[in-house]
Amino acid sequence: MTRLLEQLDKWQAKMQRTLFFSSLYETLRKFLPIIIISVFFQLFIDVFLTSNSFFALVFHWKLFRIWPPVNHLANMASLFLKHLILPLFAYFFASQLENRRGVHDSLLPLVNFIVIWLLFSDNLFVRYSGQNILLVSLIVFSLTRILNKITALHQHTLAKYLYSLLFLLVVTAVIFALISVEHLPSNFIVSSSQWLNDTFINQWSGHFIGVFCLTILASILLWLGLPVPAALLKPNFSLLSTAHNLNASLDKSVFNIPNLLSLHTLYDSFAIFGGVSMGLALVIALLIRSHGPIKRLTKIALIPSLLDNNQILNFALPLFFNPLFLLPAILSPIFGITLTAIALKLHWLAPSVYELPRYTPNILTAFLSSNGDWRTIVLVLVILTIGVLTYLPFVDHWLKGAGSEIM
């Protein structure tokens, strides 16, 4: 284990020495306050103002009916904030790149903000694609380098502004030209829910090997800062394997369902507590080991993590592009689906087959979707404990290194 951690440190050090990653790491931390606001605002919408959400149905909350205009405005604000996150991140990243050059000018960051806003608008070239940190960072880094080379040829401030404006106009014209091409499909660079098409996920979601591969894929996509398909973020009851299981359970024993080891019975129910990569296990490990500012930050991240949103720690550690956390991020959910597959094959617990309301916390999915089988609670606790133990050595090592700088 010690040699592995040392190798991961070397990998991290090499990345840290590059302009791209060193600027990116710093930007992720500076961007954290905006992410915290965004996360809690979105949770408020999901919990209190969504009519068919888990909490509205279970606790009979009717806040979404009290004043419909407020509900409408809140949802519009939520949508606007989602669209604003990536352009704002582009602005922060471009500013950090400029600061590394000793330049404190808002023109280049503003150009990047506008370009990303255009690219990731629903009605333009690229549909809103959620967490797309890697693609945005590469675009911003490239645009910034190009603009730096162009403006370096002209020392006069006015000339720099004119060339930057001209460059922005050219990029905007190219974007609009591409989307106006007659044979080019609208929004052909797809959103997070379409990175893997429905057919592919449907084909791989009905057997253990497919679920195993999709579990690894989800963790890698998260680590890379790329959009994770919607079916791997939360239960998708429109998948064929899930629908077939539900229909079969109405006619015969749940143990005779056609897809016993499916995405819903394994991954949705026992692998994504706190979100992709079992973020809740990471939160608990940090609560056990950390202190000072990191522990306070982890406490802030606890409630969102219980509701399957771990974006706060994704930016704070960061989990994105962090070699130290890649292995536990993959292993924790893999242990979860493997233990569950064994338990289901031995008929030690009832499989999860029943449909649940939106935004049901994943830690409750197995119990509720199995029609209240108490044995699922035991397995959830066992898997979560294993996840915490998997993360602990890496958390300890991180706290001694990069984490100690934050504390």
Side-chain angles (χ1 to χ4, degrees), residues 54-110:
F54 171 78
F55 294 95
L57 294 175
V58 172
F59 299 105
H60 304 290
W61 290 342
K62 305 295 182 181
L63 292 181
F64 57 91
R65 291 182 180 176
I66 293 176
W67 195 7
V70 172
N71 186 20
H72 177 71
L73 286 174
N75 281 284
M76 290 293 292
S78 173
L79 183 63
F80 177 76
L81 187 58
K82 285 181 179 179
H83 285 281
L84 194 61
I85 289 296
L86 291 179
L88 278 177
F89 181 81
Y91 184 92
F92 273 67
F93 186 41
S95 297
Q96 184 62 32
L97 289 171
E98 288 295 272
N99 289 342
R100 290 297 179 95
R101 295 176 57 240
V103 177
H104 303 283
D105 191 346
S106 61
L107 178 63
L108 261 177
L110 183 59

Coordinates of all heavy atoms in Angstrom, one line a residue, residues 54-110:
F54 N -39.7 12.4 -3.6 CA -39.8 11.4 -2.4 C -40.3 12.1 -1.2 O -41.3 11.6 -0.6 CB -38.4 10.8 -2.2 CG -38.3 10.0 -0.9 CD1 -38.8 8.7 -0.8 CD2 -37.8 10.5 0.3 CE1 -38.8 8.0 0.3 CE2 -37.7 9.8 1.4 CZ -38.2 8.5 1.5
F55 N -39.8 13.3 -0.9 CA -40.2 13.9 0.4 C -41.6 14.5 0.3 O -42.3 14.5 1.3 CB -39.2 15.0 0.7 CG -37.8 14.5 1.1 CD1 -36.8 14.4 0.1 CD2 -37.5 14.1 2.3 CE1 -35.6 13.9 0.4 CE2 -36.3 13.6 2.7 CZ -35.3 13.5 1.7
A56 N -42.0 15.0 -0.9 CA -43.3 15.5 -1.1 C -44.4 14.4 -0.9 O -45.4 14.6 -0.3 CB -43.4 16.2 -2.4
L57 N -44.0 13.2 -1.4 CA -45.0 12.1 -1.4 C -45.0 11.5 0.0 O -46.1 11.1 0.5 CB -44.7 11.1 -2.4 CG -44.8 11.5 -3.9 CD1 -44.3 10.5 -4.8 CD2 -46.3 11.9 -4.2
V58 N -43.9 11.3 0.6 CA -43.8 10.6 1.9 C -44.3 11.5 3.1 O -45.1 11.0 3.9 CB -42.4 10.1 2.2 CG1 -42.2 9.6 3.6 CG2 -42.0 9.0 1.2
F59 N -43.9 12.7 3.1 CA -44.3 13.6 4.2 C -45.4 14.5 3.8 O -45.8 15.4 4.6 CB -43.0 14.4 4.6 CG -41.9 13.6 5.1 CD1 -40.8 13.4 4.3 CD2 -41.9 13.0 6.3 CE1 -39.7 12.7 4.7 CE2 -40.8 12.2 6.8 CZ -39.7 12.1 6.0
H60 N -46.0 14.3 2.6 CA -47.2 15.1 2.2 C -46.9 16.6 2.3 O -47.8 17.4 2.6 CB -48.4 14.8 3.1 CG -48.7 13.3 3.1 ND1 -49.2 12.6 2.0 CD2 -48.5 12.4 4.1 CE1 -49.4 11.3 2.3 NE2 -49.0 11.2 3.6
W61 N -45.7 17.0 1.8 CA -45.4 18.4 1.8 C -46.1 19.0 0.5 O -46.0 18.4 -0.6 CB -43.9 18.6 1.7 CG -43.2 18.3 3.0 CD1 -43.8 18.2 4.2 CD2 -41.8 18.1 3.2 NE1 -42.8 17.9 5.2 CE2 -41.6 17.8 4.5 CE3 -40.7 18.0 2.3 CZ2 -40.4 17.5 5.1 CZ3 -39.5 17.8 2.9 CH2 -39.3 17.5 4.2
K62 N -46.7 20.2 0.7 CA -47.4 20.8 -0.4 C -46.9 22.2 -0.7 O -47.6 23.0 -1.2 CB -48.9 20.9 -0.1 CG -49.5 19.5 0.3 CD -49.5 18.5 -0.9 CE -50.2 17.2 -0.5 NZ -50.2 16.2 -1.6
L63 N -45.6 22.4 -0.4 CA -45.1 23.8 -0.6 C -45.1 24.2 -2.0 O -45.3 25.4 -2.3 CB -43.6 23.8 -0.1 CG -43.4 23.7 1.4 CD1 -41.9 23.8 1.8 CD2 -44.2 24.7 2.2
F64 N -45.0 23.2 -3.0 CA -45.0 23.6 -4.4 C -46.4 24.1 -4.8 O -46.6 24.6 -5.9 CB -44.6 22.4 -5.2 CG -45.5 21.2 -5.0 CD1 -46.6 20.9 -5.8 CD2 -45.1 20.2 -4.0 CE1 -47.4 19.8 -5.6 CE2 -45.9 19.1 -3.8 CZ -47.0 18.9 -4.6
R65 N -47.5 23.9 -4.0 CA -48.8 24.3 -4.3 C -49.2 25.6 -3.6 O -50.2 26.2 -4.0 CB -49.8 23.3 -3.9 CG -49.8 22.0 -4.7 CD -50.9 21.0 -4.3 NE -50.8 19.8 -5.0 CZ -51.6 18.7 -4.8 NH1 -52.5 18.8 -3.8 NH2 -51.5 17.6 -5.5
I66 N -48.4 26.0 -2.6 CA -48.8 27.2 -1.8 C -48.8 28.5 -2.7 O -49.8 29.3 -2.6 CB -47.8 27.4 -0.7 CG1 -48.0 26.2 0.3 CG2 -48.1 28.7 0.0 CD1 -47.0 26.3 1.5
W67 N -47.8 28.7 -3.5 CA -47.8 29.9 -4.3 C -47.1 29.5 -5.6 O -45.9 29.6 -5.7 CB -47.0 31.0 -3.6 CG -47.2 32.3 -4.2 CD1 -48.1 32.7 -5.2 CD2 -46.5 33.5 -3.8 NE1 -48.0 34.0 -5.5 CE2 -47.0 34.6 -4.6 CE3 -45.5 33.8 -2.9 CZ2 -46.6 35.9 -4.6 CZ3 -45.1 35.2 -2.8 CH2 -45.6 36.2 -3.6
P68 N -47.9 29.0 -6.6 CA -47.3 28.6 -7.9 C -46.3 29.5 -8.5 O -45.3 29.1 -9.0 CB -48.5 28.4 -8.7 CG -49.6 28.1 -7.8 CD -49.3 28.9 -6.6
P69 N -46.5 30.9 -8.5 CA -45.5 31.8 -9.1 C -44.2 31.7 -8.5 O -43.1 31.7 -9.1 CB -46.1 33.2 -8.9 CG -47.6 33.0 -8.8 CD -47.7 31.6 -8.0
V70 N -44.1 31.5 -7.1 CA -42.8 31.3 -6.5 C -42.2 30.1 -6.9 O -40.9 30.0 -7.1 CB -43.0 31.4 -4.9 CG1 -41.7 31.0 -4.2 CG2 -43.5 32.7 -4.5
N71 N -42.9 29.0 -7.0 CA -42.4 27.7 -7.4 C -41.8 27.8 -8.8 O -40.7 27.3 -9.2 CB -43.5 26.7 -7.4 CG -43.0 25.3 -7.7 OD1 -41.8 25.0 -7.6 ND2 -43.9 24.4 -8.1
H72 N -42.6 28.5 -9.7 CA -42.1 28.7 -11.1 C -40.8 29.5 -11.1 O -39.9 29.2 -11.9 CB -43.2 29.4 -11.9 CG -42.8 29.7 -13.3 ND1 -42.7 28.7 -14.3 CD2 -42.5 30.9 -13.9 CE1 -42.3 29.3 -15.4 NE2 -42.2 30.6 -15.2
L73 N -40.8 30.6 -10.4 CA -39.6 31.4 -10.3 C -38.4 30.7 -9.8 O -37.3 30.8 -10.3 CB -39.8 32.7 -9.5 CG -40.7 33.8 -10.1 CD1 -41.0 34.9 -9.1 CD2 -40.1 34.4 -11.4
A74 N -38.6 29.9 -8.8 CA -37.5 29.1 -8.2 C -36.9 28.1 -9.2 O -35.7 27.9 -9.3 CB -38.0 28.4 -6.9
N75 N -37.8 27.5 -9.9 CA -37.4 26.5 -10.9 C -36.7 27.2 -12.1 O -35.7 26.7 -12.6 CB -38.5 25.7 -11.5 CG -38.9 24.6 -10.5 OD1 -38.3 23.5 -10.4 ND2 -40.0 24.8 -9.8
M76 N -37.1 28.4 -12.5 CA -36.5 29.1 -13.5 C -35.1 29.6 -13.0 O -34.1 29.5 -13.8 CB -37.3 30.4 -13.9 CG -38.6 30.1 -14.6 SD -38.3 29.4 -16.3 CE -37.6 30.8 -17.1
A77 N -35.0 30.0 -11.8 CA -33.7 30.4 -11.2 C -32.7 29.2 -11.1 O -31.5 29.3 -11.4 CB -33.9 31.0 -9.8
S78 N -33.3 28.0 -10.8 CA -32.4 26.8 -10.8 C -31.9 26.5 -12.1 O -30.7 26.1 -12.3 CB -33.3 25.6 -10.2 OG -32.6 24.4 -10.3
L79 N -32.7 26.6 -13.2 CA -32.3 26.3 -14.5 C -31.3 27.3 -15.0 O -30.2 27.0 -15.6 CB -33.5 26.4 -15.5 CG -33.2 26.0 -16.9 CD1 -32.8 24.6 -17.1 CD2 -34.5 26.2 -17.8
F80 N -31.5 28.6 -14.6 CA -30.5 29.6 -15.0 C -29.2 29.4 -14.3 O -28.1 29.5 -14.9 CB -31.1 31.0 -14.6 CG -30.1 32.1 -14.9 CD1 -29.9 32.6 -16.1 CD2 -29.4 32.7 -13.8 CE1 -29.0 33.7 -16.4 CE2 -28.5 33.8 -14.0 CZ -28.3 34.2 -15.3
L81 N -29.2 29.0 -13.0 CA -28.0 28.7 -12.3 C -27.2 27.5 -12.9 O -26.0 27.6 -13.0 CB -28.3 28.4 -10.8 CG -27.1 28.3 -9.9 CD1 -26.3 29.6 -9.9 CD2 -27.6 28.0 -8.5
K82 N -27.9 26.5 -13.3 CA -27.3 25.4 -14.0 C -26.6 25.8 -15.2 O -25.4 25.4 -15.5 CB -28.3 24.3 -14.3 CG -28.9 23.5 -13.2 CD -29.9 22.5 -13.6 CE -30.4 21.6 -12.5 NZ -31.4 20.6 -12.9
H83 N -27.2 26.7 -16.0 CA -26.6 27.1 -17.3 C -25.4 28.1 -17.0 O -24.5 28.3 -17.8 CB -27.6 27.8 -18.1 CG -28.6 26.9 -18.8 ND1 -28.2 26.2 -19.9 CD2 -29.8 26.5 -18.5 CE1 -29.2 25.4 -20.3 NE2 -30.2 25.6 -19.5
L84 N -25.4 28.7 -15.8 CA -24.4 29.7 -15.5 C -23.1 29.1 -14.9 O -22.1 29.7 -15.0 CB -25.0 30.7 -14.5 CG -24.2 32.0 -14.2 CD1 -24.1 32.8 -15.5 CD2 -24.9 32.8 -13.2
I85 N -23.2 27.9 -14.4 CA -22.1 27.2 -13.7 C -20.9 27.1 -14.6 O -19.8 27.5 -14.3 CB -22.5 25.9 -13.1 CG1 -23.4 26.1 -11.9 CG2 -21.3 25.1 -12.7 CD1 -22.8 26.8 -10.8
L86 N -21.1 26.5 -15.8 CA -20.0 26.3 -16.7 C -19.3 27.6 -17.2 O -18.1 27.7 -17.2 CB -20.4 25.4 -17.8 CG -20.7 23.9 -17.5 CD1 -21.1 23.1 -18.7 CD2 -19.5 23.2 -16.8
P87 N -20.1 28.6 -17.7 CA -19.5 29.8 -18.1 C -18.7 30.5 -16.9 O -17.6 31.1 -17.2 CB -20.7 30.7 -18.5 CG -21.7 29.7 -19.0 CD -21.5 28.5 -18.0
L88 N -19.3 30.4 -15.7 CA -18.6 31.0 -14.6 C -17.3 30.3 -14.3 O -16.2 30.9 -14.0 CB -19.5 31.0 -13.3 CG -20.5 32.1 -13.2 CD1 -21.3 31.9 -12.0 CD2 -19.8 33.5 -13.1
F89 N -17.3 29.0 -14.4 CA -16.1 28.2 -14.2 C -15.1 28.6 -15.3 O -13.9 28.7 -15.0 CB -16.4 26.7 -14.3 CG -15.2 25.8 -14.1 CD1 -14.7 25.6 -12.8 CD2 -14.5 25.3 -15.2 CE1 -13.6 24.8 -12.6 CE2 -13.4 24.5 -15.0 CZ -12.9 24.3 -13.7
A90 N -15.5 28.8 -16.5 CA -14.6 29.2 -17.6 C -14.0 30.5 -17.2 O -12.8 30.7 -17.5 CB -15.4 29.3 -18.9
Y91 N -14.7 31.4 -16.7 CA -14.2 32.8 -16.3 C -13.1 32.6 -15.2 O -12.1 33.2 -15.3 CB -15.4 33.6 -15.8 CG -14.9 35.1 -15.5 CD1 -15.0 36.1 -16.4 CD2 -14.5 35.4 -14.2 CE1 -14.6 37.4 -16.1 CE2 -14.1 36.7 -13.9 CZ -14.2 37.7 -14.9 OH -13.8 38.9 -14.6
F92 N -13.4 31.8 -14.2 CA -12.5 31.6 -13.1 C -11.2 30.9 -13.6 O -10.1 31.3 -13.2 CB -13.1 30.7 -12.0 CG -13.9 31.5 -11.0 CD1 -15.1 32.1 -11.4 CD2 -13.6 31.5 -9.7 CE1 -15.9 32.8 -10.5 CE2 -14.3 32.2 -8.7 CZ -15.5 32.9 -9.1
F93 N -11.3 29.9 -14.5 CA -10.2 29.2 -15.0 C -9.3 30.1 -15.8 O -8.1 30.1 -15.7 CB -10.6 28.0 -15.7 CG -9.5 27.1 -16.2 CD1 -8.5 26.8 -15.3 CD2 -9.5 26.5 -17.4 CE1 -7.4 25.9 -15.7 CE2 -8.5 25.6 -17.8 CZ -7.4 25.4 -17.0
A94 N -9.9 30.9 -16.7 CA -9.2 31.8 -17.6 C -8.5 32.9 -16.7 O -7.3 33.2 -17.0 CB -10.1 32.5 -18.6
S95 N -9.1 33.3 -15.6 CA -8.5 34.3 -14.7 C -7.3 33.7 -14.0 O -6.3 34.4 -13.9 CB -9.5 34.8 -13.7 OG -10.6 35.4 -14.3
Q96 N -7.4 32.5 -13.6 CA -6.3 31.8 -13.0 C -5.1 31.6 -13.9 O -4.0 31.8 -13.5 CB -6.7 30.4 -12.4 CG -5.7 29.7 -11.6 CD -5.3 30.4 -10.4 OE1 -6.1 31.2 -9.8 NE2 -4.0 30.3 -10.0
L97 N -5.4 31.3 -15.2 CA -4.3 31.1 -16.2 C -3.6 32.5 -16.4 O -2.4 32.5 -16.5 CB -4.9 30.6 -17.5 CG -5.4 29.1 -17.5 CD1 -6.2 28.8 -18.8 CD2 -4.2 28.2 -17.4
E98 N -4.4 33.5 -16.4 CA -3.8 34.9 -16.6 C -3.0 35.3 -15.4 O -2.0 35.9 -15.5 CB -4.9 35.9 -16.9 CG -5.6 35.7 -18.3 CD -4.6 36.0 -19.4 OE1 -4.4 37.2 -19.8 OE2 -3.9 35.1 -19.9
N99 N -3.5 35.0 -14.2 CA -2.8 35.3 -13.0 C -1.4 34.6 -13.0 O -0.5 35.2 -12.5 CB -3.6 34.9 -11.8 CG -4.8 35.8 -11.6 OD1 -4.9 36.9 -12.1 ND2 -5.8 35.3 -10.8
R100 N -1.3 33.4 -13.5 CA -0.1 32.7 -13.6 C 0.9 33.4 -14.4 O 2.1 33.3 -14.3 CB -0.3 31.3 -14.1 CG -1.0 30.4 -13.1 CD -0.2 30.2 -11.8 NE -0.8 29.4 -10.8 CZ -0.6 28.0 -10.7 NH1 0.2 27.4 -11.5 NH2 -1.3 27.4 -9.8
R101 N 0.4 34.2 -15.4 CA 1.3 35.0 -16.3 C 1.6 36.4 -15.7 O 2.3 37.2 -16.3 CB 0.6 35.2 -17.6 CG 0.4 33.9 -18.4 CD -0.3 34.2 -19.7 NE 0.4 35.1 -20.6 CZ -0.2 36.3 -21.0 NH1 -1.4 36.6 -20.6 NH2 0.5 37.1 -21.7
G102 N 1.0 36.7 -14.5 CA 1.2 38.0 -13.9 C 0.3 39.1 -14.6 O 0.6 40.3 -14.4
V103 N -0.8 38.6 -15.2 CA -1.7 39.5 -15.9 C -3.0 39.6 -15.1 O -3.6 38.5 -14.8 CB -2.0 39.1 -17.4 CG1 -3.0 40.1 -18.0 CG2 -0.6 39.1 -18.1
H104 N -3.5 40.8 -14.9 CA -4.8 40.9 -14.1 C -5.8 41.7 -15.0 O -6.0 42.9 -14.7 CB -4.6 41.5 -12.8 CG -3.6 40.8 -11.9 ND1 -3.9 39.7 -11.2 CD2 -2.2 41.1 -11.7 CE1 -2.8 39.2 -10.6 NE2 -1.8 40.1 -10.8
D105 N -6.3 41.0 -16.0 CA -7.2 41.7 -17.0 C -8.4 40.8 -17.1 O -8.3 39.6 -17.3 CB -6.4 41.9 -18.3 CG -7.2 42.7 -19.3 OD1 -8.4 43.0 -19.0 OD2 -6.6 43.2 -20.3
S106 N -9.6 41.4 -17.1 CA -10.8 40.6 -17.2 C -11.3 40.4 -18.6 O -12.3 39.7 -18.8 CB -11.9 41.4 -16.4 OG -12.1 42.6 -17.0
L107 N -10.6 40.9 -19.6 CA -11.0 40.7 -21.0 C -11.0 39.3 -21.4 O -12.0 38.8 -21.9 CB -10.2 41.6 -21.9 CG -10.5 41.5 -23.4 CD1 -12.0 42.0 -23.6 CD2 -9.5 42.3 -24.3
L108 N -9.9 38.6 -21.3 CA -9.8 37.2 -21.7 C -10.7 36.3 -21.0 O -11.4 35.5 -21.6 CB -8.3 36.7 -21.5 CG -7.4 36.7 -22.8 CD1 -6.0 36.3 -22.4 CD2 -8.0 35.8 -23.8
P109 N -10.8 36.4 -19.6 CA -11.9 35.6 -19.0 C -13.3 35.9 -19.5 O -14.1 35.0 -19.6 CB -11.7 36.0 -17.5 CG -10.3 36.5 -17.4 CD -10.0 37.1 -18.7
L110 N -13.6 37.2 -19.8 CA -14.9 37.5 -20.3 C -15.2 36.9 -21.6 O -16.3 36.4 -21.9 CB -15.0 39.0 -20.3 CG -16.4 39.5 -20.8 CD1 -17.5 39.1 -19.8 CD2 -16.4 41.1 -20.9

